[in-house]
Amino acid sequence: MSTADDPTADGPPAATTADLDRAGYDPAFLTVDLPLPAVHTTVRELPYVHFTVLLDPVRRLAALTAVNVDGSSLVDLGRGVDWHLDGRVPDDEQTGPGVYASNDLDRGHLVRRRDPVWGEQAVAVQANVDTFCFTNAAPQAAEFNQSKELWLGLEDQVLQYASTHRQRLTVFTAPVLLDDDAPYRGIRLPRRFFKIAAWTTSDGGSLRTAAYLLDQSPELDGVDLEAAFARAHEQGDPPPLGPYRTYQVPVRDIAAMTGFDLAQLAEADTLRPVPTIEPPDGIREGWVPLTSVDQLSF
C-alpha cells in the first residue's frame, strides 16, 4: 500500500470498470495452489487485471486484496491515471473522493500500482488503470516518517526481488477492520494494515511466506481517546492517528486480528515461531519492530 503511488494531479479520465472482462487473482499462479483465504464476512468479490479485491460493502473498504506479480514480465508505466469508482457496485458501498477532500488523508493503494503491471502492453496498461479504483484505496495519515518509509521500502523490495530473480509472487494486503475504528464521513478509519508476501522455493516448490504490519494507532497517553475521537467528529476533522510503526509479525497473528483463515500461509511462515503474548502496550511478543531498511528481508 503506497501513497507514493498517489498521483499529485488528476490525470486523464480512466476507463470505467463496468462490463470489462477481468480474470482477477489466479490461485494457481505459483507452483503451489493458493486459493483466496476465507474472510468469514459478507464481501463482494471484484476481479481486476492480475488482482482481486474482496470489498466489505458495510465498511466500504477492502477486507482483503490479492495480487499476482510476475517478475519476469513487469512493464514500467507512468502514473497518469485518475482515481475512479467501480461501476459494478453502488457508490455508497465504496469509499470515494469525498472522504479524502480537504483534509490530510492520503489515498493509499492496497494493491501497489506497479505489482499487477506486467504482461502484454495492453494488459499492463489496463492493470495500471485498475489499481486506481477506489475499491483498492484506504485512507492513511499523510504524515511521512521513517516507519512509513520502511513500509514503502518493503513494497519496493518485494517488487525488486521479483524483478531481479524473475520470480513469481503473490501478495495479500488489507486494512485491519475493527469495530472500534473511529468514524469519519460515513466510514471508520483503520489503524492497522497488513501485507503477506508468498512465494515458492526453486528447489522443490515449497511455499514460503512473510507477514508485515503497519500500525498508525494513536499514541495519546493520558488522553481520553474516545473523547478525542468525538471532538474530531464534531469539528469535522479526521480522527487522530499516530506515528507509523512497521513490524514483521507472525502470520498467525494476522489471522487472530482479522479472523481470516490463513492456516496455509501460517504453516509456511519464515519468521521463527515464538510464544504470542499480549502486553499492555498492544505490541505482541514475537513482533519484530523494523527501524532500518537493512532489516527488510524475506
Side-chain angles (χ1 to χ4, degrees):
M1 172 188 47
S2 173
T3 54
D5 283 334
D6 234 359
T8 56
D10 290 341
T16 64
T17 52
D19 303 323
L20 292 177
D21 183 18
R22 290 172 169 81
Y25 169 75
D26 180 4
F29 186 70
L30 303 179
T31 56
V32 173
D33 193 56
L34 191 59
L36 282 169
V39 298
H40 306 302
T41 188
T42 300
V43 294
R44 297 191 184 277
E45 183 170 333
L46 301 173
Y48 298 95
V49 176
H50 300 150
F51 70 96
T52 289
V53 172
L54 300 183
L55 178 68
D56 184 329
V58 175
R59 289 296 302 263
R60 299 169 57 192
L61 294 168
L64 182 69
T65 69
V67 60
N68 303 126
V69 184
D70 187 349
S72 67
S73 59
L74 292 168
V75 178
D76 189 13
L77 295 177
R79 290 198 300 268
V81 177
D82 191 11
W83 285 92
H84 54 281
L85 295 168
D86 190 323
R88 296 173 293 182
V89 294
D91 291 357
D92 61 4
E93 293 184 0
Q94 307 174 60
T95 296
V99 171
Y100 302 95
S102 304
N103 56 35
D104 62 352
L105 294 178
D106 280 342
R107 297 165 292 187
H109 278 78
L110 295 172
V111 171
R112 192 186 187 215
R113 181 185 68 85
R114 295 172 60 201
D115 283 358
V117 179
W118 52 268
E120 296 182 2
Q121 184 75 11
V123 174
V125 167
Q126 189 57 62
N128 188 46
V129 170
D130 283 359
T131 65
F132 282 94
C133 192
F134 275 112
T135 55
N136 185 44
Q140 280 189 291
E143 183 181 358
F144 202 92
N145 59 27
Q146 184 188 30
S147 291
K148 190 172 179 183
E149 287 179 332
L150 287 169
W151 185 261
L152 301 179
L154 168 64
E155 295 184 321
D156 286 339
Q157 181 163 330
V158 168
L159 197 68
Q160 183 62 44
Y161 175 84
S163 177
T164 300
H165 298 281
R166 304 180 69 79
Q167 175 87 3
R168 286 189 166 199
L169 301 173
T170 285
V171 183
F172 302 97
T173 307
V176 179
L177 303 178
L178 302 175
D179 291 340
D180 63 349
D181 289 334
Y184 179 63
R185 294 185 180 178
I187 67 163
R188 281 175 282 161
L189 297 184
R191 305 188 299 272
R192 288 175 171 173
F193 299 83
F194 72 84
K195 184 179 296 291
I196 303 174
W199 65 98
T200 51
T201 59
S202 58
D203 53 358
S206 299
L207 184 65
R208 296 288 185 268
T209 62
Y212 300 88
L213 189 77
L214 177 70
D215 192 330
Q216 56 178 6
S217 300
E219 288 186 344
L220 299 174
D221 293 339
V223 175
D224 185 335
L225 189 57
E226 185 174 345
F229 285 164
R231 283 195 300 272
H233 184 67
E234 290 174 0
Q235 297 168 5
D237 297 328
L241 295 173
Y244 292 91
R245 292 162 291 181
T246 304
Y247 304 90
Q248 184 172 1
V249 301
V251 173
R252 68 169 183 266
D253 284 3
I254 302 296
M257 269 185 267
T258 61
F260 298 167
D261 183 358
L262 304 177
Q264 183 182 10
L265 297 169
E267 289 175 2
D269 197 347
T270 57
L271 190 63
R272 180 175 61 87
V274 295
T276 297
I277 302 171
E278 185 79 36
D281 62 4
I283 304 306
R284 301 182 181 188
E285 187 73 22
W287 289 18
V288 180
L290 303 181
T291 58
S292 167
V293 174
D294 296 336
Q295 295 174 273
L296 297 177
S297 61
F298 67 93

